[in-house]
């Protein structure tokens, strides 16, 4: 939970990332997220078929395509405006559980986004995570996207606190997300549609945790690539 | 996947064109995918808005009309509508007496309706109250879970609260009636086959020829357990027994018994199931005051059915009997 | 075979128990398997009797009630009723003004109704006139064949002739109206899947995942040809085009357009199909005066649909709009 | 079409059958027909599935079981009464096309049945055949049960005219039926449900011609066994 302000900036000795997390970088992040989800759309939908209603990939893909095209059209320069545009578009086009949840993630991230450096990004992501938790009333271990977002934010914070460069920190975040995603497999769902299955939900990977891992993967690829 | 569709991505938009063409007494906002009764907003009347994912037809658009809903929001297949749709619907039915949202208890539906209500609260004076239906006894309820799904009782809520609104009850009264229906209703469903979400292109689950899923919802999600296919008589027991175990249905003015088809089950079988359900209730000493048999809340082409029982009282029966004039439910008008 | 049934041999009898339990406004003769409106015979009114094999629900029992049929005979699944049933129905609805038999043109139906009429003629003074529906353009008509099947138009005949009888027309007049509807109506159907006759236990035909049957009837019989699965838009063309080629639908007071589901097709898809049909008719300069969209004449759980067009005139429209109060069609009452 | 009266009785030199075609014999015929249909029920239904509506075996089996049990109960001694009871029961219980058709067959046969000898049986069968033709308005070659019944009656008449014993004559009738049944395979149906298939009806054996062949087989087995 360490606020990002605990580490005042990127360390000397590595590239400063202060000017990398700008609007263009965030746009690249969302584009990469959209690309990954599009590529894995059917796989996401299939995960959702096993313990849900077979629409997670379709819904997110539709929403992220809309977000990318909104960013194309509006092309906001301000980083917070990028995240806000994404939030609004997702809320408008996704529906279901993941629409409000990812929408809230980006909305809160947008509001919390300060200076465009790695620390600000971590603050924003943590705010997004907390928004998701508040909106969905889920807790860690409920077998939801939170179970990927939580470890990702923790790893990010930890790496930045340890003054590791943003590249590495985002890679750690993505790895944290992936670990969290994998950890959802044995869980019995308590929130979302999978909770209706009771014990039968165990043994399946949560689709939302899977897409959330893509979100973090995308950050590692798109943002750190600029670091 | 065998469906009468064009592009899977356009199913909802194109079906709405058909609804608009078939029902001149409805007004369809194609941009927002909201179906309104054409005289909405009705001045001085509480507006009723519902909505949810598509693929459950006739629910909800088929229940728009005098005596029932004022508007229905159509989400993507099995995907709750987005807040903008709910806002558009709410605005469009606000006749000055406030608006009731009838929301089925699914995480997505609840959150999207909630966000819409937050937006409405921020920008206008429209009073919005939400009633969340959660009647599915297949789901264990607990403080720590998403709770029970809203299924069959939703239609009874829409009919009965719709009548209450039509008769001029204020928002609090309409909401109270809606909550009473939800509180006194319980459901349980079974699937004999899966359904296929158009965009997914293949069945959501595989079910061997000799198996069925007990305790399913209406989105093709698997049920609580998979059991061997059984005769209708035993299936009826498997559905009714947990419903009766969950609420005492004796002592009221009888129940409204609703046998609902999931979309791919012939009416012949639904009537046969109704006979079984009626026999079980008779043995249990529970009188059936009213009934509804048909495919009203479907799950695309899924084969199967659900049973909903509503413990009724005089007022609820009177409201149930009140005129209704919608594509899917119509009497007295 | 996945069905909500007990013993395949008892499906019809058990479904009739459900119909009786669900519809107190109907009277069911379980021995003869005839469903009557409960005030039959209506004194001075022409009685309307129809019937056919079961498995087509709601047809015919779902169309029994004021403004439509006085009685419906339920045969075994896909098997026309026997003469005794028709005799019992005819006797039970004879209010002194004669009885109209609405018979779908199938060898079995025609012969069984004929034998019943012969029996009636031999033993009583009841005047019986039969109108045989044969609207299916998929079947080539000729003097040397069984002729066209009676499909969708049958329901329009029952509604419109039912209204004529309710309004007091004499038997000749009611029969004339019925024949006019049949003469001005044409249909064509498509199946995406087969159905399974309960006693047979497996699908009547196999249809690969990428094929459909064009020109099917309502008994699971294969169609005229098997073609690759196509988008709804093209399917609508394949159905509407031969209908329009068979009769000039321009120049009346518009058509009644009826998109019927075969039992396993979701309403979502039927509305989508209706949009396609409406678009084709608009392009052809044919106005739609009324419409009906839903699964009214089914073929068990078959997926698919049929399109029926009826060239209407003022009188037919007036009779169509007249009140009807049956389980499956209800308005104005 | 030779009327059976063209040959005045069973020939000398073989067992006289004058007293064999009595009520009990006809009952045995119907029982054997019922047995064959019951045994082949699913095969008949499958033939009907290919070019009809998959109910021929079920319907006929139901009706014949009812006929057998009616004969058990009533046990009419009079041969014509046996056929009439069968007719009435089939008309009451079969439905579809084959109910009225087989019902009419037995009804007309009952009316036409004279003295209980082989010739009388041939007359009765011919009358039944003509009843089926009148009721169904079908002609030879339409791919119906007529295509089995016609050759069967012709063969029966021919054999009896040639003074062959009833055993042999009924065997010839059954063989005629079977030939007629087989000949329905390439036919394009013009009557009954198969006619809706048009050209697609070719290549399938007609279910009604198949059950009619069982009717004749049953006669050969049950009646001639007594000769
Ligand atoms: N209450 C919740 N809090 C956090 N995440 C949730 C919650 N409910 C569901 N989710 C996430 O949403 C995912 C499902 O998203 P999606 O399939 O798009 O929505 P829906 O369930 O409405 O069809 C789940 O896999 C889960 O990760
Ligand atoms: N008009 C007719 N004349 C003679 N036989 C007919 C006629 N129509 C049908 N059949 C016979 O009836 C058989 C079908 O019987 P069945 O399946 O019991 O009736 P349905 O077609 O009503 O389902 C056909 O195979 C054919 O032999
Ligand atoms: Mg989902
Ligand atoms: Mg969903
Ligand atoms: Mg039949
Ligand atoms: Mg048949």
């Amino acid at each position: 939970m360490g606020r990002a302000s605990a580490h005042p900036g990127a360390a000397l000795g590595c590239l400063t990332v202060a000017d990398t997390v700008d609007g263009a970088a965030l746009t690249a992040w969302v584009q990469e997220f959209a690309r990954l989800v599009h590529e894995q759309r059917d796989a996401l939908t299939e995960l959702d078929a096993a313990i849900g209603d077979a629409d997670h990939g379709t819904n997110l893909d539709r929403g992220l395509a809309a977000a990318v095209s909104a960013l194309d059209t509006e092309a906001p320069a301000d980083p917070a405006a990028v995240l806000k545009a994404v939030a609004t578009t997702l809320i408008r086009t996704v529906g279901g559980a993941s629409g409000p949840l990812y929408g809230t993630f980006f909305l809160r991230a947008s509001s919390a986004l300060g200076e465009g450096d790695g620390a600000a990004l971590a603050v924003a992501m943590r705010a997004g995570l907390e928004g998701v938790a508040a909106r969905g009333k889920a807790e860690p271990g409920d077998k939801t996207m939170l179970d990927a977002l939580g470890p990702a934010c923790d790893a990010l914070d930890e790496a930045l606190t340890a003054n590791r460069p943003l590249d590495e920190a985002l890679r750690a975040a993505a790895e944290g997300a992936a670990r969290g995603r994998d950890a959802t497999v044995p869980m019995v769902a308590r929130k979302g549609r999978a909770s209706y299955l009771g014990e039968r939900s165990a043994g399946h990977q949560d689709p939302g945790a899977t897409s959330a891992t893509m979100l973090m993967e995308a950050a590692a690829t798109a943002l750190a690539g600029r670091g | 996947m065998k469906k009468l569709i064009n592009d899977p991505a356009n199913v909802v938009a194109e079906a709405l064109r058909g609804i608009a063409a078939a029902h001149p007494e409805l007004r369809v906002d194609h941009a927002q995918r909201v179906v309104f009764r054409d005289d909405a907003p009705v001045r001085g009347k509480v507006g009723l808005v519902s909505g949810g994912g598509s693929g459950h037809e006739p629910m909800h658009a088929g229940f728009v009309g005098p005596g029932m809903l004022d508007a229905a929001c159509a989400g993507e297949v099995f995907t709750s509508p987005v807040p903008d749709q709910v806002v558009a619907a709410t605005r469009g039915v606000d006749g000055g007496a406030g608006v009731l949202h009838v929301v089925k208890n699914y995480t997505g539906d609840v959150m999207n309706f909630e966000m819409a209500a937050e937006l409405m609260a921020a920008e206008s004076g429209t009073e919005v109250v939400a009633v969340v239906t959660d009647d599915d006894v297949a789901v264990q309820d607990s403080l720590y879970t998403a709770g029970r799904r809203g299924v069959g009782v939703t239609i009874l809520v829409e009919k009965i609260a719709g009548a209450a609104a039509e008769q001029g009850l204020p928002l609090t009264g309409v909401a109270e009636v809606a909550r009473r229906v939800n509180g006194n209703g319980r459901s349980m469903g079974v699937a004999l086959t899966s359904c296929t979400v158009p965009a997914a292109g293949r069945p959501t689950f595989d079910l061997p020829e000799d198996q069925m899923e007990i305790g399913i919802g209406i989105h093709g999600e698997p049920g609580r357990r998979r059991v061997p296919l059984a005769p209708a008589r035993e299936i009826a027991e498997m559905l009714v027994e947990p419903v009766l175990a969950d609420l005492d249905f004796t002592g009221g003015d009888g129940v409204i018994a609703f046998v609902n088809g999931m979309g791919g089950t012939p009416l012949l079988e639904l009537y046969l199931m109704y006979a079984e359900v009626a026999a079980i209730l008779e043995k249990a000493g529970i009188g059936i005051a009213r009934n509804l048999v048909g495919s009203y809340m479907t799950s695309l082409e899924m084969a199967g059915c659900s049973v909903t029982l509503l413990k009724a009282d005089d007022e609820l029966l009177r409201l149930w009997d009140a005129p209704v004039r919608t594509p899917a439910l119509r009497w007295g008008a």
Side-chain angles (χ1 to χ4, degrees), chain B residues 65-98:
Chain B
M68 217 159 161
L69 297 178
D70 294 85
C73 310
E76 283 298 326
V77 173
F78 291 172
T79 301
S80 73
V82 301
D84 283 4
Q85 295 180 270
V86 179
V87 168
T90 306
R91 274 201 200 115
V93 308
D94 178 11

mmCIF file of all heavy atoms in Angstrom, chain B residues 65-98:
data_model
loop_
_atom_site.group_PDB
_atom_site.id
_atom_site.type_symbol
_atom_site.label_atom_id
_atom_site.label_comp_id
_atom_site.label_asym_id
_atom_site.label_seq_id
_atom_site.Cartn_x
_atom_site.Cartn_y
_atom_site.Cartn_z
ATOM 1 N N GLY B 65 -44.908 -1.667 -22.084
ATOM 2 C CA GLY B 65 -46.252 -1.268 -22.489
ATOM 3 C C GLY B 65 -47.079 -0.936 -21.271
ATOM 4 O O GLY B 65 -46.642 -1.161 -20.133
ATOM 5 N N PRO B 66 -48.272 -0.418 -21.503
ATOM 6 C CA PRO B 66 -49.147 -0.039 -20.394
ATOM 7 C C PRO B 66 -49.351 -1.194 -19.419
ATOM 8 O O PRO B 66 -49.640 -2.307 -19.821
ATOM 9 C CB PRO B 66 -50.458 0.328 -21.099
ATOM 10 C CG PRO B 66 -50.027 0.785 -22.463
ATOM 11 C CD PRO B 66 -48.850 -0.071 -22.815
ATOM 12 N N GLY B 67 -49.141 -0.902 -18.146
ATOM 13 C CA GLY B 67 -49.322 -1.918 -17.114
ATOM 14 C C GLY B 67 -48.057 -2.675 -16.773
ATOM 15 O O GLY B 67 -48.064 -3.530 -15.890
ATOM 16 N N MET B 68 -46.980 -2.343 -17.462
ATOM 17 C CA MET B 68 -45.742 -3.050 -17.135
ATOM 18 C C MET B 68 -44.569 -2.072 -17.248
ATOM 19 O O MET B 68 -44.603 -1.040 -16.581
ATOM 20 C CB MET B 68 -45.603 -4.299 -18.018
ATOM 21 C CG MET B 68 -44.982 -5.487 -17.284
ATOM 22 S SD MET B 68 -45.342 -7.095 -18.062
ATOM 23 C CE MET B 68 -44.011 -8.065 -17.311
ATOM 24 N N LEU B 69 -43.595 -2.326 -18.083
ATOM 25 C CA LEU B 69 -42.440 -1.422 -18.132
ATOM 26 C C LEU B 69 -42.696 -0.205 -19.016
ATOM 27 O O LEU B 69 -43.416 -0.271 -20.012
ATOM 28 C CB LEU B 69 -41.224 -2.164 -18.685
ATOM 29 C CG LEU B 69 -40.696 -3.345 -17.880
ATOM 30 C CD1 LEU B 69 -39.525 -3.984 -18.623
ATOM 31 C CD2 LEU B 69 -40.265 -2.899 -16.480
ATOM 32 N N ASP B 70 -42.029 0.884 -18.660
ATOM 33 C CA ASP B 70 -42.045 2.060 -19.532
ATOM 34 C C ASP B 70 -40.882 2.028 -20.510
ATOM 35 O O ASP B 70 -40.966 2.606 -21.582
ATOM 36 C CB ASP B 70 -41.990 3.334 -18.683
ATOM 37 C CG ASP B 70 -43.244 3.489 -17.848
ATOM 38 O OD1 ASP B 70 -43.299 2.913 -16.756
ATOM 39 O OD2 ASP B 70 -44.191 4.137 -18.325
ATOM 40 N N ALA B 71 -39.822 1.378 -20.104
ATOM 41 C CA ALA B 71 -38.669 1.271 -20.994
ATOM 42 C C ALA B 71 -37.814 0.080 -20.611
ATOM 43 O O ALA B 71 -37.784 -0.337 -19.455
ATOM 44 C CB ALA B 71 -37.826 2.546 -20.948
ATOM 45 N N ALA B 72 -37.150 -0.459 -21.608
ATOM 46 C CA ALA B 72 -36.217 -1.571 -21.395
ATOM 47 C C ALA B 72 -34.934 -1.272 -22.148
ATOM 48 O O ALA B 72 -34.967 -0.846 -23.299
ATOM 49 C CB ALA B 72 -36.827 -2.878 -21.900
ATOM 50 N N CYS B 73 -33.814 -1.505 -21.470
ATOM 51 C CA CYS B 73 -32.503 -1.289 -22.091
ATOM 52 C C CYS B 73 -31.962 -2.640 -22.545
ATOM 53 O O CYS B 73 -31.906 -3.578 -21.748
ATOM 54 C CB CYS B 73 -31.518 -0.730 -21.076
ATOM 55 S SG CYS B 73 -32.137 0.686 -20.172
ATOM 56 N N ALA B 74 -31.531 -2.701 -23.789
ATOM 57 C CA ALA B 74 -31.025 -3.962 -24.322
ATOM 58 C C ALA B 74 -29.504 -3.928 -24.396
ATOM 59 O O ALA B 74 -28.931 -3.220 -25.219
ATOM 60 C CB ALA B 74 -31.615 -4.217 -25.705
ATOM 61 N N GLY B 75 -28.861 -4.696 -23.546
ATOM 62 C CA GLY B 75 -27.408 -4.817 -23.614
ATOM 63 C C GLY B 75 -26.999 -5.765 -24.726
ATOM 64 O O GLY B 75 -27.835 -6.331 -25.423
ATOM 65 N N GLU B 76 -25.710 -5.930 -24.895
ATOM 66 C CA GLU B 76 -25.233 -6.978 -25.786
ATOM 67 C C GLU B 76 -25.726 -8.319 -25.260
ATOM 68 O O GLU B 76 -26.213 -8.409 -24.132
ATOM 69 C CB GLU B 76 -23.693 -6.971 -25.825
ATOM 70 C CG GLU B 76 -23.094 -5.862 -26.670
ATOM 71 C CD GLU B 76 -23.491 -5.979 -28.141
ATOM 72 O OE1 GLU B 76 -23.649 -7.102 -28.650
ATOM 73 O OE2 GLU B 76 -23.644 -4.931 -28.791
ATOM 74 N N VAL B 77 -25.562 -9.363 -26.058
ATOM 75 C CA VAL B 77 -26.025 -10.672 -25.613
ATOM 76 C C VAL B 77 -25.358 -11.045 -24.288
ATOM 77 O O VAL B 77 -24.129 -11.049 -24.188
ATOM 78 C CB VAL B 77 -25.734 -11.742 -26.675
ATOM 79 C CG1 VAL B 77 -26.057 -13.133 -26.136
ATOM 80 C CG2 VAL B 77 -26.553 -11.463 -27.930
ATOM 81 N N PHE B 78 -26.176 -11.308 -23.289
ATOM 82 C CA PHE B 78 -25.746 -11.718 -21.943
ATOM 83 C C PHE B 78 -24.846 -10.686 -21.270
ATOM 84 O O PHE B 78 -24.100 -11.019 -20.333
ATOM 85 C CB PHE B 78 -25.008 -13.070 -21.980
ATOM 86 C CG PHE B 78 -25.911 -14.231 -22.323
ATOM 87 C CD1 PHE B 78 -25.381 -15.492 -22.560
ATOM 88 C CD2 PHE B 78 -27.279 -14.077 -22.409
ATOM 89 C CE1 PHE B 78 -26.199 -16.567 -22.855
ATOM 90 C CE2 PHE B 78 -28.107 -15.148 -22.718
ATOM 91 C CZ PHE B 78 -27.556 -16.399 -22.942
ATOM 92 N N THR B 79 -24.890 -9.452 -21.716
ATOM 93 C CA THR B 79 -24.058 -8.411 -21.131
ATOM 94 C C THR B 79 -24.959 -7.263 -20.699
ATOM 95 O O THR B 79 -25.697 -6.723 -21.521
ATOM 96 C CB THR B 79 -23.031 -7.911 -22.160
ATOM 97 O OG1 THR B 79 -22.231 -9.009 -22.572
ATOM 98 C CG2 THR B 79 -22.146 -6.835 -21.579
ATOM 99 N N SER B 80 -24.891 -6.901 -19.455
ATOM 100 C CA SER B 80 -25.781 -5.849 -18.971
ATOM 101 C C SER B 80 -25.609 -4.584 -19.803
ATOM 102 O O SER B 80 -24.554 -4.346 -20.376
ATOM 103 C CB SER B 80 -25.477 -5.538 -17.517
ATOM 104 O OG SER B 80 -24.271 -4.829 -17.437
ATOM 105 N N PRO B 81 -26.637 -3.780 -19.881
ATOM 106 C CA PRO B 81 -26.526 -2.522 -20.608
ATOM 107 C C PRO B 81 -25.514 -1.609 -19.924
ATOM 108 O O PRO B 81 -25.142 -1.841 -18.776
ATOM 109 C CB PRO B 81 -27.936 -1.932 -20.514
ATOM 110 C CG PRO B 81 -28.598 -2.639 -19.381
ATOM 111 C CD PRO B 81 -27.956 -3.989 -19.275
ATOM 112 N N VAL B 82 -25.095 -0.592 -20.638
ATOM 113 C CA VAL B 82 -24.154 0.359 -20.064
ATOM 114 C C VAL B 82 -24.933 1.510 -19.423
ATOM 115 O O VAL B 82 -26.120 1.694 -19.707
ATOM 116 C CB VAL B 82 -23.173 0.873 -21.149
ATOM 117 C CG1 VAL B 82 -22.404 -0.301 -21.746
ATOM 118 C CG2 VAL B 82 -23.903 1.638 -22.243
ATOM 119 N N PRO B 83 -24.281 2.252 -18.548
ATOM 120 C CA PRO B 83 -24.996 3.308 -17.814
ATOM 121 C C PRO B 83 -25.711 4.311 -18.735
ATOM 122 O O PRO B 83 -26.826 4.744 -18.424
ATOM 123 C CB PRO B 83 -23.884 3.987 -16.999
ATOM 124 C CG PRO B 83 -22.854 2.919 -16.818
ATOM 125 C CD PRO B 83 -22.883 2.105 -18.069
ATOM 126 N N ASP B 84 -25.094 4.660 -19.850
ATOM 127 C CA ASP B 84 -25.738 5.625 -20.756
ATOM 128 C C ASP B 84 -27.133 5.187 -21.166
ATOM 129 O O ASP B 84 -28.047 6.001 -21.308
ATOM 130 C CB ASP B 84 -24.905 5.787 -22.036
ATOM 131 C CG ASP B 84 -23.686 6.669 -21.812
ATOM 132 O OD1 ASP B 84 -23.459 7.081 -20.654
ATOM 133 O OD2 ASP B 84 -22.962 6.943 -22.791
ATOM 134 N N GLN B 85 -27.268 3.887 -21.408
ATOM 135 C CA GLN B 85 -28.574 3.380 -21.812
ATOM 136 C C GLN B 85 -29.593 3.556 -20.700
ATOM 137 O O GLN B 85 -30.736 3.954 -20.933
ATOM 138 C CB GLN B 85 -28.477 1.883 -22.154
ATOM 139 C CG GLN B 85 -27.614 1.570 -23.339
ATOM 140 C CD GLN B 85 -27.591 0.067 -23.603
ATOM 141 O OE1 GLN B 85 -26.749 -0.629 -23.075
ATOM 142 N NE2 GLN B 85 -28.518 -0.418 -24.393
ATOM 143 N N VAL B 86 -29.153 3.256 -19.495
ATOM 144 C CA VAL B 86 -30.061 3.348 -18.358
ATOM 145 C C VAL B 86 -30.439 4.811 -18.114
ATOM 146 O O VAL B 86 -31.596 5.127 -17.807
ATOM 147 C CB VAL B 86 -29.418 2.716 -17.107
ATOM 148 C CG1 VAL B 86 -30.351 2.820 -15.915
ATOM 149 C CG2 VAL B 86 -29.045 1.263 -17.381
ATOM 150 N N VAL B 87 -29.469 5.680 -18.299
ATOM 151 C CA VAL B 87 -29.746 7.111 -18.139
ATOM 152 C C VAL B 87 -30.771 7.562 -19.186
ATOM 153 O O VAL B 87 -31.756 8.242 -18.870
ATOM 154 C CB VAL B 87 -28.447 7.941 -18.254
ATOM 155 C CG1 VAL B 87 -28.763 9.421 -18.383
ATOM 156 C CG2 VAL B 87 -27.547 7.677 -17.047
ATOM 157 N N ALA B 88 -30.553 7.156 -20.424
ATOM 158 C CA ALA B 88 -31.488 7.547 -21.488
ATOM 159 C C ALA B 88 -32.882 7.016 -21.201
ATOM 160 O O ALA B 88 -33.887 7.717 -21.381
ATOM 161 C CB ALA B 88 -30.987 7.032 -22.839
ATOM 162 N N ALA B 89 -32.951 5.786 -20.737
ATOM 163 C CA ALA B 89 -34.252 5.197 -20.425
ATOM 164 C C ALA B 89 -34.913 5.934 -19.272
ATOM 165 O O ALA B 89 -36.103 6.269 -19.315
ATOM 166 C CB ALA B 89 -34.078 3.721 -20.071
ATOM 167 N N THR B 90 -34.133 6.212 -18.256
ATOM 168 C CA THR B 90 -34.672 6.859 -17.064
ATOM 169 C C THR B 90 -35.198 8.257 -17.400
ATOM 170 O O THR B 90 -36.306 8.633 -17.014
ATOM 171 C CB THR B 90 -33.579 6.946 -15.969
ATOM 172 O OG1 THR B 90 -33.058 5.630 -15.765
ATOM 173 C CG2 THR B 90 -34.139 7.476 -14.670
ATOM 174 N N ARG B 91 -34.404 8.989 -18.142
ATOM 175 C CA ARG B 91 -34.856 10.320 -18.580
ATOM 176 C C ARG B 91 -36.142 10.219 -19.384
ATOM 177 O O ARG B 91 -37.066 11.002 -19.225
ATOM 178 C CB ARG B 91 -33.798 10.951 -19.481
ATOM 179 C CG ARG B 91 -32.733 11.669 -18.717
ATOM 180 C CD ARG B 91 -32.038 12.681 -19.639
ATOM 181 N NE ARG B 91 -30.747 13.007 -19.059
ATOM 182 C CZ ARG B 91 -29.577 12.717 -19.620
ATOM 183 N NH1 ARG B 91 -29.522 12.126 -20.810
ATOM 184 N NH2 ARG B 91 -28.464 13.039 -19.006
ATOM 185 N N GLY B 92 -36.169 9.243 -20.247
ATOM 186 C CA GLY B 92 -37.302 9.133 -21.178
ATOM 187 C C GLY B 92 -38.610 8.715 -20.530
ATOM 188 O O GLY B 92 -39.661 8.842 -21.140
ATOM 189 N N VAL B 93 -38.543 8.166 -19.330
ATOM 190 C CA VAL B 93 -39.782 7.705 -18.695
ATOM 191 C C VAL B 93 -40.141 8.523 -17.462
ATOM 192 O O VAL B 93 -41.097 8.203 -16.761
ATOM 193 C CB VAL B 93 -39.698 6.215 -18.282
ATOM 194 C CG1 VAL B 93 -39.260 5.366 -19.469
ATOM 195 C CG2 VAL B 93 -38.775 6.015 -17.090
ATOM 196 N N ASP B 94 -39.352 9.555 -17.207
ATOM 197 C CA ASP B 94 -39.577 10.351 -16.009
ATOM 198 C C ASP B 94 -40.783 11.261 -16.208
ATOM 199 O O ASP B 94 -40.691 12.307 -16.855
ATOM 200 C CB ASP B 94 -38.315 11.166 -15.703
ATOM 201 C CG ASP B 94 -38.497 12.057 -14.485
ATOM 202 O OD1 ASP B 94 -39.515 11.895 -13.768
ATOM 203 O OD2 ASP B 94 -37.628 12.910 -14.258
ATOM 204 N N GLY B 95 -41.885 10.898 -15.630
ATOM 205 C CA GLY B 95 -43.108 11.694 -15.756
ATOM 206 C C GLY B 95 -43.332 12.563 -14.543
ATOM 207 O O GLY B 95 -44.441 13.047 -14.319
ATOM 208 N N GLY B 96 -42.294 12.719 -13.739
ATOM 209 C CA GLY B 96 -42.391 13.615 -12.593
ATOM 210 C C GLY B 96 -42.655 12.894 -11.279
ATOM 211 O O GLY B 96 -42.634 13.500 -10.209
ATOM 212 N N ALA B 97 -42.913 11.596 -11.351
ATOM 213 C CA ALA B 97 -43.217 10.858 -10.117
ATOM 214 C C ALA B 97 -42.086 9.926 -9.712
ATOM 215 O O ALA B 97 -42.230 9.078 -8.850
ATOM 216 C CB ALA B 97 -44.508 10.071 -10.306
ATOM 217 N N GLY B 98 -40.963 10.083 -10.390
ATOM 218 C CA GLY B 98 -39.825 9.236 -10.058
ATOM 219 C C GLY B 98 -39.775 7.993 -10.916
ATOM 220 O O GLY B 98 -40.714 7.680 -11.656
#
